[in-house]
Short mmCIF file of all heavy atoms in Angstrom, two decimals:
data_model
loop_
_atom_site.label_atom_id
_atom_site.label_comp_id
_atom_site.label_asym_id
_atom_site.label_seq_id
_atom_site.Cartn_x
_atom_site.Cartn_y
_atom_site.Cartn_z
N ARG N 22 9.46 -11.47 13.15
CA ARG N 22 9.11 -12.60 14.01
C ARG N 22 8.65 -12.17 15.38
O ARG N 22 8.21 -13.02 16.19
CB ARG N 22 10.28 -13.56 14.12
CG ARG N 22 10.64 -14.20 12.78
CD ARG N 22 11.78 -15.19 12.91
NE ARG N 22 11.38 -16.37 13.71
CZ ARG N 22 12.21 -17.32 14.11
NH1 ARG N 22 13.50 -17.23 13.80
NH2 ARG N 22 11.76 -18.35 14.81
N LEU N 23 8.85 -10.89 15.73
CA LEU N 23 8.40 -10.44 17.08
C LEU N 23 6.86 -10.53 17.15
O LEU N 23 6.18 -10.34 16.16
CB LEU N 23 8.84 -9.01 17.33
CG LEU N 23 10.32 -8.76 17.47
CD1 LEU N 23 10.59 -7.27 17.66
CD2 LEU N 23 10.89 -9.53 18.67
N SER N 26 4.84 -7.63 15.55
CA SER N 26 4.98 -7.30 14.14
C SER N 26 3.89 -7.94 13.28
O SER N 26 3.56 -9.12 13.46
CB SER N 26 6.34 -7.72 13.64
OG SER N 26 7.35 -6.93 14.27
N ASP N 56 15.67 0.94 -2.46
CA ASP N 56 14.94 0.23 -3.51
C ASP N 56 15.90 -0.40 -4.51
O ASP N 56 17.02 0.02 -4.68
CB ASP N 56 14.00 1.17 -4.29
CG ASP N 56 12.95 0.43 -5.06
OD1 ASP N 56 12.26 -0.40 -4.46
OD2 ASP N 56 12.80 0.61 -6.27
N ARG N 65 12.26 -17.15 1.98
CA ARG N 65 11.94 -18.15 3.02
C ARG N 65 12.15 -17.57 4.41
O ARG N 65 11.59 -18.01 5.41
CB ARG N 65 12.87 -19.36 2.82
CG ARG N 65 12.50 -20.19 1.63
CD ARG N 65 13.49 -21.28 1.40
NE ARG N 65 14.84 -20.74 1.16
CZ ARG N 65 15.95 -21.49 1.10
NH1 ARG N 65 15.86 -22.79 1.21
NH2 ARG N 65 17.11 -20.90 0.82
N GLU N 70 8.89 -8.60 -0.20
CA GLU N 70 8.15 -7.83 -1.16
C GLU N 70 8.45 -6.35 -0.95
O GLU N 70 8.56 -5.87 0.18
CB GLU N 70 6.63 -8.06 -1.00
CG GLU N 70 6.21 -9.52 -1.02
CD GLU N 70 6.11 -10.08 0.37
OE1 GLU N 70 6.98 -9.75 1.21
OE2 GLU N 70 5.20 -10.89 0.60
N ARG N 71 8.53 -5.63 -2.05
CA ARG N 71 8.84 -4.18 -1.96
C ARG N 71 7.95 -3.43 -2.96
O ARG N 71 8.16 -3.52 -4.15
CB ARG N 71 10.30 -3.89 -2.32
CG ARG N 71 11.31 -4.48 -1.35
CD ARG N 71 11.42 -3.59 -0.07
NE ARG N 71 12.35 -4.23 0.85
CZ ARG N 71 12.02 -5.14 1.77
NH1 ARG N 71 10.77 -5.57 1.87
NH2 ARG N 71 12.93 -5.63 2.57
N GLU N 103 12.12 9.36 -17.80
CA GLU N 103 11.18 8.71 -16.88
C GLU N 103 11.42 9.12 -15.43
O GLU N 103 10.49 9.46 -14.71
CB GLU N 103 11.28 7.21 -17.10
CG GLU N 103 10.80 6.29 -15.99
CD GLU N 103 9.31 6.31 -15.81
OE1 GLU N 103 8.63 6.70 -16.75
OE2 GLU N 103 8.86 6.00 -14.71
N ARG N 106 10.91 12.85 -14.67
CA ARG N 106 9.49 13.15 -14.61
C ARG N 106 8.85 12.63 -13.30
O ARG N 106 8.06 13.31 -12.68
CB ARG N 106 8.77 12.54 -15.79
CG ARG N 106 7.31 12.89 -15.79
CD ARG N 106 6.57 12.06 -16.78
NE ARG N 106 5.16 12.51 -16.81
CZ ARG N 106 4.21 11.73 -17.28
NH1 ARG N 106 4.49 10.53 -17.79
NH2 ARG N 106 2.95 12.11 -17.21
N ARG N 107 9.24 11.46 -12.91
CA ARG N 107 8.62 10.86 -11.73
C ARG N 107 8.93 11.69 -10.48
O ARG N 107 8.05 11.93 -9.65
CB ARG N 107 9.07 9.40 -11.56
CG ARG N 107 7.99 8.63 -10.85
CD ARG N 107 8.32 7.21 -10.54
NE ARG N 107 8.86 6.45 -11.66
CZ ARG N 107 9.33 5.22 -11.48
NH1 ARG N 107 9.31 4.68 -10.27
NH2 ARG N 107 9.80 4.57 -12.48
N ASN N 134 17.03 -8.91 -14.86
CA ASN N 134 15.63 -8.52 -15.10
C ASN N 134 15.53 -7.49 -16.25
O ASN N 134 14.42 -7.12 -16.61
CB ASN N 134 15.01 -7.91 -13.83
CG ASN N 134 14.79 -8.97 -12.76
OD1 ASN N 134 14.54 -10.14 -13.11
ND2 ASN N 134 14.78 -8.56 -11.50
N GLY N 136 17.41 -7.72 -19.38
CA GLY N 136 18.06 -8.14 -20.63
C GLY N 136 19.53 -8.30 -20.66
O GLY N 136 20.13 -8.47 -21.70
N ASP N 138 23.22 -10.15 -19.00
CA ASP N 138 23.71 -11.31 -18.30
C ASP N 138 24.23 -11.01 -16.91
O ASP N 138 24.19 -11.85 -16.00
CB ASP N 138 24.82 -12.00 -19.11
CG ASP N 138 24.30 -12.52 -20.46
OD1 ASP N 138 23.17 -13.08 -20.44
OD2 ASP N 138 25.00 -12.39 -21.44
N GLN N 169 4.63 29.84 -17.00
CA GLN N 169 3.17 29.89 -17.13
C GLN N 169 2.62 31.31 -16.94
O GLN N 169 2.84 31.93 -15.90
CB GLN N 169 2.47 28.98 -16.06
CG GLN N 169 2.71 27.51 -16.32
CD GLN N 169 3.73 26.89 -15.40
OE1 GLN N 169 4.68 27.56 -14.99
NE2 GLN N 169 3.50 25.64 -15.00
N LYS N 173 -6.07 34.06 -19.40
CA LYS N 173 -7.30 33.52 -19.98
C LYS N 173 -7.84 34.42 -21.08
O LYS N 173 -8.33 33.92 -22.08
CB LYS N 173 -8.36 33.38 -18.84
CG LYS N 173 -8.07 32.25 -17.88
CD LYS N 173 -9.20 32.13 -16.87
CE LYS N 173 -8.94 31.04 -15.85
NZ LYS N 173 -10.10 30.88 -14.93
N TYR N 178 -1.49 30.41 -22.55
CA TYR N 178 -1.23 29.67 -21.31
C TYR N 178 0.23 29.88 -20.85
O TYR N 178 0.45 30.28 -19.69
CB TYR N 178 -1.55 28.19 -21.48
CG TYR N 178 -1.19 27.42 -20.19
CD1 TYR N 178 -1.91 27.65 -19.07
CD2 TYR N 178 -0.05 26.58 -20.14
CE1 TYR N 178 -1.56 27.03 -17.87
CE2 TYR N 178 0.30 25.96 -18.95
CZ TYR N 178 -0.46 26.19 -17.81
OH TYR N 178 -0.11 25.59 -16.62
N ARG N 195 20.47 10.02 -25.58
CA ARG N 195 20.04 11.16 -26.44
C ARG N 195 18.64 11.46 -26.02
O ARG N 195 17.73 10.61 -26.12
CB ARG N 195 20.08 10.72 -27.92
CG ARG N 195 21.50 10.73 -28.50
CD ARG N 195 21.45 10.60 -30.03
NE ARG N 195 20.75 9.38 -30.40
CZ ARG N 195 19.88 9.31 -31.42
NH1 ARG N 195 19.64 10.38 -32.17
NH2 ARG N 195 19.32 8.19 -31.71
N GLY N 198 13.70 16.34 -24.93
CA GLY N 198 12.98 17.24 -24.06
C GLY N 198 12.07 18.12 -24.84
O GLY N 198 11.90 17.93 -26.06
N ASN N 201 7.66 17.05 -19.58
CA ASN N 201 6.19 17.39 -19.58
C ASN N 201 5.70 17.75 -18.18
O ASN N 201 4.49 17.75 -17.93
CB ASN N 201 5.38 16.23 -20.20
CG ASN N 201 5.67 14.91 -19.53
OD1 ASN N 201 6.46 14.82 -18.59
ND2 ASN N 201 5.02 13.86 -20.01
N ARG S 22 -9.86 28.35 -20.01
CA ARG S 22 -10.11 29.77 -20.16
C ARG S 22 -11.45 30.16 -19.51
O ARG S 22 -11.74 31.40 -19.43
CB ARG S 22 -10.14 30.15 -21.63
CG ARG S 22 -8.75 29.98 -22.28
CD ARG S 22 -8.76 30.43 -23.73
NE ARG S 22 -8.93 31.87 -23.85
CZ ARG S 22 -9.14 32.54 -25.00
NH1 ARG S 22 -9.18 31.85 -26.14
NH2 ARG S 22 -9.27 33.85 -24.99
N LEU S 23 -12.27 29.24 -19.09
CA LEU S 23 -13.52 29.60 -18.44
C LEU S 23 -13.27 30.28 -17.11
O LEU S 23 -12.26 29.94 -16.44
CB LEU S 23 -14.40 28.35 -18.20
CG LEU S 23 -14.99 27.65 -19.44
CD1 LEU S 23 -15.76 26.40 -19.02
CD2 LEU S 23 -15.87 28.60 -20.24
N SER S 26 -12.41 27.97 -14.09
CA SER S 26 -11.30 27.04 -14.13
C SER S 26 -10.02 27.60 -13.52
O SER S 26 -9.66 28.74 -13.71
CB SER S 26 -11.00 26.62 -15.57
OG SER S 26 -12.07 25.89 -16.11
N ASP S 56 -1.75 9.09 -20.86
CA ASP S 56 -0.40 9.48 -20.58
C ASP S 56 0.57 9.22 -21.75
O ASP S 56 0.30 8.39 -22.60
CB ASP S 56 0.17 8.74 -19.34
CG ASP S 56 1.38 9.42 -18.78
OD1 ASP S 56 1.29 10.65 -18.53
OD2 ASP S 56 2.42 8.76 -18.61
N ARG S 65 1.74 27.17 -25.46
CA ARG S 65 1.24 28.53 -25.56
C ARG S 65 -0.28 28.60 -25.48
O ARG S 65 -0.84 29.61 -25.10
CB ARG S 65 1.66 29.13 -26.93
CG ARG S 65 3.17 29.40 -27.02
CD ARG S 65 3.56 29.80 -28.40
NE ARG S 65 3.26 28.80 -29.36
CZ ARG S 65 3.39 28.93 -30.70
NH1 ARG S 65 3.75 30.10 -31.21
NH2 ARG S 65 3.10 27.92 -31.51
N GLU S 70 1.24 20.43 -18.85
CA GLU S 70 2.01 19.66 -17.84
C GLU S 70 1.20 18.44 -17.47
O GLU S 70 0.00 18.51 -17.34
CB GLU S 70 2.26 20.49 -16.57
CG GLU S 70 2.93 21.84 -16.85
CD GLU S 70 1.91 22.93 -16.96
OE1 GLU S 70 0.82 22.71 -17.54
OE2 GLU S 70 2.19 24.08 -16.50
N ARG S 71 1.91 17.34 -17.28
CA ARG S 71 1.23 16.07 -16.94
C ARG S 71 2.02 15.38 -15.86
O ARG S 71 3.13 14.86 -16.12
CB ARG S 71 1.10 15.14 -18.15
CG ARG S 71 0.23 15.64 -19.25
CD ARG S 71 -1.27 15.48 -18.92
NE ARG S 71 -2.09 15.98 -19.98
CZ ARG S 71 -2.49 17.26 -20.05
NH1 ARG S 71 -2.17 18.10 -19.09
NH2 ARG S 71 -3.26 17.68 -21.05
N GLU S 103 9.71 -3.08 -14.72
CA GLU S 103 9.36 -1.82 -14.06
C GLU S 103 7.84 -1.59 -14.08
O GLU S 103 7.25 -1.26 -13.04
CB GLU S 103 10.08 -0.72 -14.87
CG GLU S 103 9.52 0.68 -14.78
CD GLU S 103 9.62 1.30 -13.45
OE1 GLU S 103 10.50 0.86 -12.67
OE2 GLU S 103 8.91 2.21 -13.11
N ARG S 106 5.86 -4.17 -11.97
CA ARG S 106 6.00 -3.86 -10.55
C ARG S 106 5.17 -2.64 -10.17
O ARG S 106 4.49 -2.63 -9.09
CB ARG S 106 7.44 -3.60 -10.21
CG ARG S 106 7.65 -3.35 -8.77
CD ARG S 106 9.01 -2.86 -8.45
NE ARG S 106 9.20 -2.67 -7.08
CZ ARG S 106 10.10 -1.87 -6.55
NH1 ARG S 106 10.93 -1.22 -7.33
NH2 ARG S 106 10.18 -1.71 -5.25
N ARG S 107 5.17 -1.61 -11.04
CA ARG S 107 4.48 -0.41 -10.68
C ARG S 107 2.96 -0.66 -10.52
O ARG S 107 2.30 -0.20 -9.60
CB ARG S 107 4.75 0.68 -11.67
CG ARG S 107 4.65 2.00 -11.01
CD ARG S 107 4.85 3.20 -11.85
NE ARG S 107 5.96 3.16 -12.76
CZ ARG S 107 6.16 4.08 -13.69
NH1 ARG S 107 5.31 5.06 -13.83
NH2 ARG S 107 7.22 4.00 -14.51
N ASN S 134 12.81 11.36 -26.91
CA ASN S 134 13.16 11.42 -25.48
C ASN S 134 13.86 10.14 -24.98
O ASN S 134 14.25 10.08 -23.84
CB ASN S 134 11.93 11.70 -24.64
CG ASN S 134 11.42 13.14 -24.81
OD1 ASN S 134 12.21 14.04 -25.09
ND2 ASN S 134 10.11 13.33 -24.63
N GLY S 136 16.34 8.23 -26.94
CA GLY S 136 17.51 7.84 -27.70
C GLY S 136 17.23 7.40 -29.16
O GLY S 136 18.12 6.84 -29.79
N ASP S 138 15.59 8.27 -33.18
CA ASP S 138 15.32 9.37 -34.09
C ASP S 138 13.83 9.52 -34.37
O ASP S 138 13.35 10.59 -34.64
CB ASP S 138 16.06 9.15 -35.42
CG ASP S 138 17.57 9.20 -35.22
OD1 ASP S 138 18.03 10.09 -34.46
OD2 ASP S 138 18.27 8.37 -35.81
N GLN S 169 2.99 -16.77 0.91
CA GLN S 169 3.41 -16.30 2.24
C GLN S 169 2.82 -17.22 3.34
O GLN S 169 1.59 -17.34 3.43
CB GLN S 169 2.92 -14.89 2.50
CG GLN S 169 3.67 -13.86 1.64
CD GLN S 169 2.83 -13.33 0.49
OE1 GLN S 169 2.00 -14.08 -0.06
NE2 GLN S 169 2.95 -12.09 0.18
N LYS S 173 5.92 -17.28 12.23
CA LYS S 173 6.90 -16.63 13.11
C LYS S 173 7.68 -17.64 13.95
O LYS S 173 8.91 -17.50 14.15
CB LYS S 173 6.18 -15.61 14.04
CG LYS S 173 5.66 -14.39 13.32
CD LYS S 173 5.04 -13.45 14.39
CE LYS S 173 4.51 -12.21 13.70
NZ LYS S 173 3.99 -11.24 14.70
N TYR S 178 9.08 -17.35 6.39
CA TYR S 178 8.21 -16.31 5.91
C TYR S 178 7.38 -16.83 4.72
O TYR S 178 6.19 -16.77 4.71
CB TYR S 178 8.97 -15.06 5.49
CG TYR S 178 8.05 -14.03 4.94
CD1 TYR S 178 7.05 -13.44 5.74
CD2 TYR S 178 8.02 -13.70 3.59
CE1 TYR S 178 6.16 -12.53 5.23
CE2 TYR S 178 7.12 -12.82 3.07
CZ TYR S 178 6.17 -12.22 3.91
OH TYR S 178 5.27 -11.37 3.40
N ARG S 195 14.64 -10.12 -22.27
CA ARG S 195 15.08 -11.24 -21.44
C ARG S 195 14.93 -10.82 -20.01
O ARG S 195 15.50 -9.80 -19.57
CB ARG S 195 16.57 -11.54 -21.71
CG ARG S 195 16.79 -12.34 -23.01
CD ARG S 195 18.18 -12.88 -23.12
NE ARG S 195 19.15 -11.83 -23.02
CZ ARG S 195 20.32 -11.86 -22.37
NH1 ARG S 195 20.64 -12.95 -21.68
NH2 ARG S 195 21.12 -10.83 -22.32
N GLY S 198 13.19 -12.53 -13.44
CA GLY S 198 12.22 -12.62 -12.37
C GLY S 198 12.80 -13.33 -11.13
O GLY S 198 14.00 -13.63 -11.17
N ASN S 201 9.44 -8.53 -7.43
CA ASN S 201 9.62 -8.27 -6.02
C ASN S 201 8.34 -7.76 -5.35
O ASN S 201 8.37 -7.20 -4.23
CB ASN S 201 10.79 -7.28 -5.79
CG ASN S 201 10.62 -6.00 -6.58
OD1 ASN S 201 9.65 -5.86 -7.28
ND2 ASN S 201 11.61 -5.11 -6.47
#
Side-chain angles (χ1 to χ4, degrees):
Chain N
R22 295 183 67 187
L23 292 178
S26 295
D56 198 53
R65 288 175 300 173
E70 306 94 322
R71 295 283 177 272
E103 158 68 21
R106 183 190 182 202
R107 208 184 311 172
N134 288 332
D138 294 321
Q169 291 105 326
K173 289 183 181 183
Y178 177 67
R195 282 191 303 140
N201 54 2
Chain S
R22 296 183 67 188
L23 291 178
S26 295
D56 198 51
R65 289 174 298 172
E70 307 93 324
R71 293 283 177 273
E103 157 69 20
R106 183 189 182 203
R107 208 183 313 172
N134 288 332
D138 293 319
Q169 292 104 325
K173 289 182 180 184
Y178 178 68
R195 282 192 302 141
N201 54 1

